[in-house]
Amino acid sequence: GKHSYTEPLERIVQRVAAERDSTHILLIGDAAEMLPRVQHVDFDLVFIDGNHAYEAVTLDLWNSLQLAREHTVLLVNHIFTEMDEGVGPTRAWLDAVRRGHVEQIGWHSCCTRHGIAIGASRITDQQA
């Protein structure tokens, strides 16, 4: 919510969601506090971009995986980048992949700073 691009992108995402008869909810705040409060929501897409510390991204990923369903796509920013801020997110992402919690299905980068891992949850009800 602190970036100049948040509101313009929010409008675009709202329009695309409406065109697909879907609902978009933008949650702005500390994911560690917010995600546990929305356990009743069926998420199609989760985008993690915020605190770059390994522990914070690990917690964000775990909380997001708890909300994920079979069709949920997970996006995590600052993965495999040349920036120092990518160290924590990349380590957390690779840990989740190694543990079998997430399957990496793609990666996208527009520049050396923003690498976005694209994945799918592999968490089962027994693991959650």
Side-chain angles (χ1 to χ4, degrees), residues 34 47 62 81 101 113 115 127:
M34 297 181 74
F47 179 59
W62 181 252
T81 67
H101 295 165
R113 185 173 179 200
Q127 292 173 304

Side-chain angles (χ1 to χ4, degrees), residues 41-106:
V41 177
D42 184 12
F43 282 87
D44 295 318
L45 174 74
V46 175
F47 179 59
I48 299 172
D49 180 21
N51 188 327
H52 301 117
Y54 166 77
E55 296 80 6
V57 179
T58 298
L59 183 60
D60 288 349
L61 246 169
W62 181 252
N63 284 331
S64 296
L65 288 168
Q66 302 310 302
L67 302 172
R69 307 293 182 254
E70 182 179 342
H71 62 276
T72 303
V73 174
L74 300 167
L75 305 174
V76 183
N77 199 10
H78 302 290
I79 305 297
F80 310 127
T81 67
E82 295 179 1
M83 306 293 288
D84 287 342
E85 63 192 7
V87 173
T90 298
R91 183 173 156 216
W93 178 257
L94 290 175
D95 283 354
V97 170
R98 273 194 289 272
R99 290 184 176 131
H101 295 165
V102 66
E103 174 186 4
Q104 182 168 329
I105 56 177

Side-chain angles (χ1 to χ4, degrees), residues 6 11 18 28 50 89:
T6 302
R11 287 191 295 273
I28 298 175

